[in-house]
Amino acid sequence: MQPGVLWQTVLGEIELSVSHGNFVTWFKNTSLLKHENDLLVVGVPNIFIKQQLEKKYGDLIAQTLGKNGVKVATIEFKVAARTEKSKPAESPAPKQGETKPEAPAGNRTAQTNIGGGVGHSYRQGLNERYTFDNFVVGASNELAFAACQAVAQKSGTKYNPLFLYGGVGIGKTHLIQAVGNTVAARNPDSKVLYISTEQFVQEFVDALRFRKTAAFARHYRTADVLIVDDIQFIAGKEKMQEEFFHTFNALHQANKQIILSADKPPKDIPTLEDRLRSRFAGGMGIDMQIPDFETRCAIVQAKASSHESPLDNEVVEYLATSLHTNIRELEGALNQLLAYCEMRGLEPTLAIASSLLNVSKTRPKHLSAKQIIERTARHFQVPVEDIIGPKRDKDIVVPRQIAMYILRNELKLSFPKIAKELGRKDHTTAIHSVDKIDREIRSDINMRMAVSEIREHLYA
Ligand code: ADP
Ligand code: MG
């Protein structure tokens, strides 16, 4: 067999036996450099992939080769310099193994109206971009990952509630969403509800105001899986805590799964009623940490590969070293780097990465909502009055959505506050807009470039 054909065959089989995320991350950009007697040399794009393949996948590769009648004594992995973008050197790109970059998130399913009855879609709040497949596992999160997978396989019996806690931007939302997506995909009729505590409280306040508390209670107490994110925000909200206590009990007694996340363990959440505290602590609590250096590198690799711009080692290492407290920020820096380079037709280098990061470190902190809205309006050459006004034309709506996205990401404003800044009454518009732009940035280079340019001007 021709070396190229052999490797294509091997990759094709491996693709069927590992998850899509793992395949894309670890195998997609490999090639066969050499096959002589009983030595096989596999070209890999960088040292992290080399280590991972050596550590975890050597046996699988050997077995797959064996199945194709090729016995080798030694498999070596060699970091092969890339001569062209996204194409391994010295060998044609393995066509069969080529996969499309991770598909952009699918449609976010419509929100359920708590008062409504017909046409219910129960996947409230789930975002399909969060999967187990595209979650990179390392020492800091493997326990959480395993617990979430166990709960996704068998909901309600084990680990109830499952309570993930840890700092900001370390993958809590990703994992608990992945549970919801897995359950919902396996059983489309199940009622899987994901909600941020911020929105949960808002809905409850609305329900009180419009005398719809019964509908609110019914909606949440009949869930099969209820996922409430950032539950620390329930602190100090007495009525909400009381309502949630009853919801919790109803679900727990019926062996329905409850999944919670917070920035700290139940015992450290201030002004939380004791009875809730003990309920929260009554299941499985898992302390998540920021991923270690190696895992952060793998995350950068995985995210860069879905953008189809493989990164040099030194750039990956630089990002993973500089951004060591928050994966969201790490992702943000990576996206910024990729957009900056795409816009200018450059290959990402260490020099560019470090100059971009140093600029962002000296960012002024006094940016206002008004400046963001004005800058966005200017970018699209539309009047500010239109952005904050009632118009619904597409050329106004998109800039408005982008302004919302930037307000959320740069100023961390709450959704009701974002809605207010843009003259909207309903904060769910802000939630949808931010989510929509977040998705489009991943799949649409023009969107990525627009947001990146507005940001650059804001901080120029
Ligand atoms: P948290 O809820 O803990 O604040 P998120 O789950 O929102 O953090 O994670 C922040 C971002 O980092 C998300 O885009 C998420 O997909 C990404 N992320 C975090 N951990 C991982 C991981 N281990 N693998 C892949 N992506 C990750
Ligand atoms: Mg979160």
Side-chain angles (χ1 to χ4, degrees):
M1 217 187 278
Q2 291 270 315
V5 178
L6 168 64
W7 195 240
Q8 276 177 38
T9 312
V10 169
L11 286 178
E13 283 179 28
I14 289 177
E15 190 174 5
L16 298 178
S17 60
V18 302
S19 74
H20 177 66
N22 278 332
F23 183 80
V24 172
T25 310
W26 308 118
F27 290 96
K28 188 184 154 196
N29 291 314
T30 60
S31 57
L32 189 56
L33 296 182
K34 197 181 197 180
H35 178 203
E36 260 175 30
N37 307 324
D38 51 7
L39 169 71
L40 189 95
V41 184
V42 178
V44 298
N46 61 55
I47 182 86
F48 307 108
I49 295 186
K50 173 171 152 55
Q51 288 167 350
Q52 190 72 10
L53 289 174
E54 280 167 354
K55 231 175 14 194
K56 276 204 176 156
Y57 293 108
D59 285 349
L60 175 65
I61 296 172
Q63 277 167 19
T64 314
L65 284 164
K67 271 199 256 164
N68 287 284
V70 178
K71 290 246 171 328
V72 290
T74 319
I75 302 177
E76 269 179 32
F77 298 93
K78 194 166 165 228
V79 178
R82 270 175 297 113
T83 45
E84 271 174 67
K85 234 184 152 182
S86 74
K87 199 171 169 191
E90 298 171 48
S91 141
K95 276 287 167 295
Q96 193 182 342
E98 289 278 39
T99 43
K100 287 244 174 318
E102 299 273 85
N107 294 332
R108 189 185 205 265
T109 328
Q111 297 269 324
T112 316
N113 180 339
I114 56 162
V118 255
H120 254 183
S121 154
Y122 287 130
R123 298 168 177 211
Q124 175 179 316
L126 286 182
N127 183 332
E128 288 167 22
R129 111 177 150 79
Y130 297 114
T131 64
F132 286 128
D133 270 2
N134 63 18
F135 190 83
V136 179
V137 184
S140 65
N141 57 26
E142 64 188 355
L143 196 59
F145 183 81
C148 284
Q149 281 204 316
V151 163
Q153 290 319 314
K154 212 166 182 323
S155 296
T157 47
K158 256 188 195 170
Y159 312 150
N160 206 8
L162 176 62
F163 193 106
L164 298 191
Y165 62 90
V168 179
I170 59 172
K172 303 183 298 295
T173 296
H174 189 132
L175 276 182
I176 60 184
Q177 282 259 354
V179 178
N181 282 323
T182 306
V183 175
R186 202 186 38 234
N187 185 356
D189 293 329
S190 62
K191 186 173 173 181
V192 181
L193 300 182
Y194 166 94
I195 192 157
S196 69
T197 301
E198 209 181 5
Q199 202 188 337
F200 201 37
V201 169
Q202 185 68 45
E203 277 189 15
F204 181 61
V205 169
D206 290 346
L208 282 175
R209 186 181 325 139
F210 301 115
R211 299 174 196 284
K212 280 193 165 179
T213 45
F216 178 90
R218 198 177 329 114
H219 181 61
Y220 288 101
R221 288 178 202 178
T222 50
D224 293 306
V225 177
L226 176 63
I227 307 170
V228 187
D229 207 351
D230 288 318
I231 195 73
Q232 75 272 10
F233 291 130
I234 206 172
K237 311 216 161 53
E238 282 165 30
K239 277 218 160 109
M240 180 80 228
Q241 290 194 18
E242 171 160 10
E243 167 60 35
F244 192 56
F245 178 73
H246 295 299
T247 301
F248 188 104
N249 288 343
L251 293 173
H252 199 263
Q253 272 158 21
N255 283 334
K256 303 297 186 185
Q257 182 69 44
I258 301 154
I259 304 173
L260 305 168
S261 84
D263 63 351
K264 40 179 113 48
K267 70 175 171 43
D268 295 338
I269 300 177
T271 60
L272 183 65
E273 278 185 39
D274 281 344
R275 56 182 187 168
L276 264 188
R277 198 186 306 278
S278 72
R279 289 292 186 285
F280 290 176
M284 170 83 157
I286 294 179
D287 180 4
M288 282 181 79
Q289 303 287 337
I290 176 80
D292 55 28
F293 173 72
E294 208 190 19
T295 313
R296 291 201 301 280
C297 289
I299 291 173
V300 174
Q301 282 297 351
K303 309 248 170 201
S305 79
S306 70
H307 280 273
E308 267 201 305
S309 347
L311 281 183
D312 276 347
N313 251 346
E314 54 177 16
V315 177
V316 174
E317 278 190 15
Y318 176 75
L319 291 174
T321 312
S322 313
L323 295 137
H324 48 83
T325 57
N326 183 325
I327 302 300
R328 190 176 300 117
E329 284 174 1
L330 179 60
E331 228 183 341
L334 172 67
N335 284 335
Q336 195 191 357
L337 172 66
L338 295 176
Y340 182 96
C341 292
E342 262 168 351
M343 238 186 286
R344 293 164 178 78
L346 302 169
E347 284 287 326
T349 60
L350 183 57
I352 300 176
S354 76
S355 72
L356 284 178
L357 271 191
N358 286 328
V359 169
S360 58
K361 269 183 198 147
T362 55
R363 277 177 178 191
K365 291 284 176 237
H366 52 258
L367 202 61
S368 71
K370 193 159 165 264
Q371 281 171 299
I372 291 177
I373 296 169
E374 279 172 4
R375 189 70 240 179
T376 311
R378 172 120 59 105
H379 181 90
F380 290 101
Q381 302 185 338
V382 295
V384 171
E385 304 81 72
D386 282 355
I387 289 203
I388 58 179
K391 279 199 183 156
R392 309 248 348 120
D393 315 40
K394 189 161 186 257
D395 55 337
I396 302 294
V397 170
V398 173
R400 186 182 291 145
Q401 291 170 332
I402 291 178
M404 290 181 170
Y405 173 84
I406 298 178
L407 286 172
R408 178 72 178 175
N409 279 278
E410 300 298 311
L411 299 187
K412 318 282 178 232
L413 296 189
S414 71
F415 290 116
K417 183 97 176 62
I418 292 172
K420 199 160 158 246
E421 291 290 347
L422 285 141
R424 294 1 267 171
K425 286 206 191 77
D426 181 3
H427 74 283
T428 56
T429 319
I431 296 176
H432 287 303
S433 302
V434 171
D435 189 51
K436 171 170 173 273
I437 301 301
D438 191 42
R439 261 188 286 127
E440 283 180 10
I441 279 185
R442 287 157 210 279
S443 58
D444 177 359
I445 169 169
N446 292 322
M447 181 58 82
R448 205 145 66 227
M449 286 183 358
V451 171
S452 173
E453 248 176 69
I454 296 169
R455 274 205 181 115
E456 274 182 46
H457 278 113
L458 283 170
Y459 291 113

